[in-house]
Amino acid sequence: MSMEDLYQEIVLEHSKRPRNRRAIPQASHRAKGHNPLCGDEIEVYLKVEDERIVDLSFQGQGCAISTASASLMSESLTGLSLVEARQRFAEMMTLLKDAGVPVDASKWGDLAAVIGVRRYPGRIKCASLAWHALQGALDGRPESTTE
Amino acid sequence: MMTRPTTESQGFSVEAVRADFPILRTEVNGQPLAYFDNAATSQKPQAVIDRMTAYYSTENANIHRGVHALSQAATEAYEAARKVVARFIGAPESREVIFTRGTTEAINLVASGLGQTVLQKGDTILLTELEHHANIVPWQLLAERKGLRIEVAPVFDTGALDVEGMKAKIVASAPKVVAFSHASNAVGCINPARELIDAAHSAGALVVLDGAQSTAHFPVNVADLDCDFFAFSGHKVFGPTGIGALYGKADLLGSLPPYQGGGDMIEKVSFKGTSFRGLPERFEAGTPNIAGAIGLAAAMVYVDGLGREALDAQERALVEYALDALTSVKGVRVLGGDGPRVSLVSFLMDGVHPHDIASFLDAEGIAVRTGHHCAQPLMERLGIPGTTRASFAFYNTFAEIDRLVKGLHRIQKVFGS
């Protein structure tokens, strides 16, 4: 796998023009995620109505992998129920940790490109940063880390 | 691109030197390793590896108080290593050299000692904005325990130390202790240590100099610098990990209470009371890193054998070449200012995060370090999450720097919008 396989067009595109990089003033949940290894910080905002995510956004600066992961996460989780979102978080963590688990492209779509980072152990936390912040927001923890 | 300078005329052959470092023959990701992470840790010459192997193979024993032959041989080798270290850094007496695990432990030792002697509640410690966490956190812990104030000397927007600003701070804050780095690990500037030490002494302060980044790169003489304490790590000076030293002027060092208690540092132990040995044993409780000290001495002998002036010249040529070559890469800004610098370049690239740069370079066998370089306050001051740092040693080549620059051009093509 070469660098161009990791930094696919979809990753580069989402890192340069991230979707939903904004605050949600009336957020029902929000939390910061911090990666102590690199100092990157991402804040995730959620608007939840009737146990369903109706809006999901993030703010902060990070590397291409963490920004693309946050951007793609915001797109893929909006509209899901909280139960489904938690399920997706758990599955994402499993996929990032274990390169042997196959990625169902029909389910993960463009996020599959980000999951490719699991071949580079030093970068996995870049991909998981926004997801940890999401979990922190759902659990009511204002700050979480990738550690 | 600028022509490659040659240092062959000074009798220095980079190819011959590279042959002394077995790891430089390694391939990474199918490419020859270009190791540019020397500021984090340097590679080890065969002479060091062989010396440590020989020690463990033929001389290993615990030192001091041993009557048997091996113990005496080990003791002699360990104390001979102390003499080599003293000579390498210009310490007038070898008892002024305390072996520690590295710079971090050396600074913790001196902070702990000064906290029990010189520093009283309300006193000020002056640090700088460019310090490594190892020269911040021990002082913060002490300040919290003792009710001390910490003042911080400023840097410029390049990350280089504002020397006049620091001198003004020394006068204004009347610190009891000034602790600063001889050279910055994060941006590479060499600070005018003697000038700042004189200013601190004039204000009545003691000086702790963090030599983690200077000791490996240019000749250091603690007596000429007139610093009160000097800390460095062996593994950045081509020696093993887990060994370093604290130098302290004999009278000052001798006035500090013990740091850790245990065997070897005592004169007589009784439940009625214990008396302690003098320098240097008082600060070396327990079995020390004997093999590490011997390996470090071997590294210093190796460096001296090549000639520290020649190595310094080679590293200067490398960093000048790198600085010039990086100007050809659009959107790259090198930190650290235009003043004297050790052989490292710490830079930012428009629109590309350091971690993405490092991953691309790693795929090409080029090892750089990215992030905050254990200098988060400096990164915060500069308003950046981190930098990409390429730090050179005398065994690096101009051709390796060409690979780095080529890699950066490629990264820019991938990320260019």
Side-chain angles (χ1 to χ4, degrees), chain A residues 3-4 7 12 15-17 34 36-40 61-65 122-123 126, chain B residues 353 355-363 370-372 376 385-386 410 414-417:
Chain A
M3 275 295 117
E4 276 75 4
Y7 289 89
L12 291 172
S15 73
K16 289 176 199 167
R17 281 170 285 280
H34 179 230
L37 288 182
C38 61
D40 284 352
Q61 299 290 332
C63 63
I65 304 296
R123 301 299 304 279
C126 305
Chain B
H353 191 282
H355 275 69
D356 298 315
I357 295 175
S359 281
F360 269 84
L361 294 177
D362 181 56
T370 56
H372 52 63
Q376 284 180 340
R410 178 161 160 257
V414 171
F415 283 85
S417 34

Side-chain angles (χ1 to χ4, degrees), chain B residues 14 17 30 41 101 105 150 195 214 245 264 280 286 305 313 336 346 400 402:
Chain B
V14 72
V17 164
T41 196
R101 282 191 293 135
E105 191 179 46
I150 290 183
E195 188 181 337
S214 59
D264 257 6
S346 185
E400 287 176 328
D402 289 344

Side-chain angles (χ1 to χ4, degrees), chain B residues 189-315:
Chain B
C189 58
I190 298 173
N191 297 319
R194 178 64 206 240
E195 188 181 337
L196 291 166
I197 288 165
D198 286 348
H201 284 165
S202 298
L206 293 174
V207 177
V208 178
L209 193 59
D210 173 354
Q213 294 299 329
S214 59
T215 312
H217 294 298
F218 55 88
V220 165
N221 187 300
V222 292
D224 289 348
L225 289 167
D226 196 28
C227 55
D228 301 296
F229 298 96
F230 183 86
F232 77 94
S233 296
H235 70 94
K236 294 188 204 284
V237 195
F238 315 102
T241 52
I243 190 76
L246 172 71
Y247 156 83
K249 287 178 180 168
D251 55 334
L252 286 168
L253 206 48
S255 72
L256 301 184
Y259 178 52
Q260 291 180 330
D264 257 6
M265 52 80 74
I266 49 84
E267 204 168 65
K268 186 172 187 339
V269 178
S270 149
F271 284 110
K272 296 192 188 80
T274 293
S275 55
F276 307 109
R277 296 175 74 180
L279 299 178
E281 289 84 4
R282 170 202 294 253
F283 297 109
E284 293 182 2
T287 299
N289 184 354
I290 306 165
I294 290 169
L296 172 58
M300 290 176 162
V301 168
Y302 171 80
V303 166
D304 274 335
L306 293 176
R308 287 161 85 182
E309 303 292 342
L311 302 186
D312 187 29
Q314 170 72 0
E315 290 194 0

